[in-house]
Amino acid sequence: MILILLGPPGAGKGTQAQRLQDKHGLIQLSTGDMLRAAVAAGTEIGLEAKKVMDRGELVSDEIMTGIISDRLDQPDCKNGVILDGFPRTEAQAAALDEMLAAKGLVLDAVIEMKTDDDILVERITGRYTCATCGTGYHDIFLKPAVEGVCDKCGGTEFKRRSDDNADTVVSRLKAYHDQTAPLLPYYQGKGVLKQVDGMADIDVVTQEMEAALQSI
Ligand code: ADP
Ligand code: ADP
Ligand code: ZN
């Protein structure tokens, strides 16, 4: 199965992708995580991407398409993937169509996580993740059961993203509306678009995601 999660920064794509990965054995392909790994490793792509990400702008379509195409060829993707953060432009969507056709794969569904812009700053500025296993948390909306201890792996170190600040959110939201939102009518036209209410509580969103998957 090939699923795309579409929504603005902070909509809940990563949170729900982690849950779908755990429950259904699909692999979460987060292009943001891949870029942050490249930045941390100091690769050429990472050095290039860091400047762009810190401005809240989008990394080039060529780089992103190459990263995803290579990743889809890895054996662990055989059982299906959740694309989290890709495609983000019309050019990336067109490239994805081509690459799926060339690899003999089919896009099953695109799930839009609908959210109001005015809640996203609070979502993003409160976001943090376990430094050991990457599980996502929120200062208010999703705390670990025991403060300071990751529910999943017991880790006690957490990290925050350098681009998760109120200034960058404005550019990231603009990039979403200008460059990514046009993908919604594109996928609607292909008959693969489904919607969930991204404003609901996290567990309710998860139930809606499950219902959307059942309908495929
Ligand atoms: P995205 O991957 O779309 O940028 P995340 O999944 O990282 O978004 O979610 C952003 C932040 O908001 C995280 O800290 C997450 O714990 C929290 N969050 C996700 N979904 C919800 C929700 N439905 N209600 C409240 N907070 C949420
Ligand atoms: P969020 O879900 O909070 O917007 P991501 O982790 O998906 O954050 O992305 C972080 C940053 O990485 C983006 O602001 C952008 O600079 C870059 N990025 C991630 N995916 C893509 C993509 N498909 N195309 C271009 N840039 C991307
Ligand atoms: Zn952990």
Side-chain angles (χ1 to χ4, degrees):
M1 164 160 344
I2 304 213
L3 269 186
I4 294 174
L5 300 191
L6 255 189
K13 302 180 297 295
T15 304
Q16 299 300 331
Q18 283 182 348
R19 292 180 173 202
L20 290 173
Q21 167 163 282
D22 292 347
K23 178 140 188 244
H24 297 282
L26 300 165
I27 301 287
Q28 172 192 12
L29 299 187
S30 159
T31 42
D33 285 349
M34 292 175 196
L35 290 171
R36 283 184 285 280
V39 171
T43 65
E44 208 171 303
I45 286 180
L47 294 174
E48 181 70 38
K50 176 150 180 42
K51 295 178 242 161
V52 179
M53 293 166 82
D54 283 343
R55 289 200 301 266
E57 293 169 8
L58 294 182
V59 174
S60 79
D61 292 329
E62 290 69 25
I63 289 180
M64 299 317 303
T65 307
I67 289 179
I68 282 290
S69 179
D70 290 348
R71 188 63 186 87
L72 282 174
D73 291 336
Q74 304 291 309
D76 64 330
C77 292
K78 284 260 175 333
N79 291 334
V81 299
I82 309 156
L83 295 171
D84 161 13
F86 180 94
R88 248 177 163 97
T89 64
E90 288 176 298
Q92 289 179 20
L96 178 65
D97 283 348
E98 264 177 47
M99 99 180 57
L100 292 180
K103 297 179 198 295
L105 300 169
V106 174
L107 174 62
D108 293 281
V110 177
I111 304 184
E112 179 194 3
M113 312 196 57
K114 285 180 81 74
T115 41
D116 297 341
D117 282 0
D118 55 10
I119 59 131
L120 297 175
V121 170
E122 192 182 24
R123 288 256 186 112
I124 286 170
T125 53
R127 165 162 63 191
Y128 63 97
T129 53
C130 171
T132 310
C133 74
T135 295
Y137 295 99
H138 191 280
D139 291 327
I140 301 165
F141 305 126
L142 186 60
K143 301 180 183 180
V146 177
E147 200 186 320
V149 182
C150 175
D151 292 340
K152 193 159 183 188
C153 77
T156 53
E157 278 188 44
F158 297 87
K159 55 184 183 185
R160 290 177 192 262
R161 285 167 45 178
S162 62
D163 61 340
D164 274 351
N165 56 73
D167 291 339
T168 317
V169 174
V170 176
S171 341
R172 285 158 66 196
L173 261 179
K174 184 170 165 21
Y176 177 77
H177 288 295
D178 292 351
Q179 294 175 267
T180 309
L183 301 186
L184 296 168
Y186 176 73
Y187 287 122
Q188 176 108 51
K190 287 176 170 286
V192 290
L193 186 67
K194 297 173 186 298
Q195 292 169 325
V196 300
D197 175 13
M199 303 289 287
D201 285 349
I202 296 180
D203 291 343
V204 175
V205 179
T206 303
Q207 287 164 15
E208 282 196 33
M209 303 284 296
E210 290 297 330
L213 282 194
Q214 295 306 319
S215 73
I216 294 173

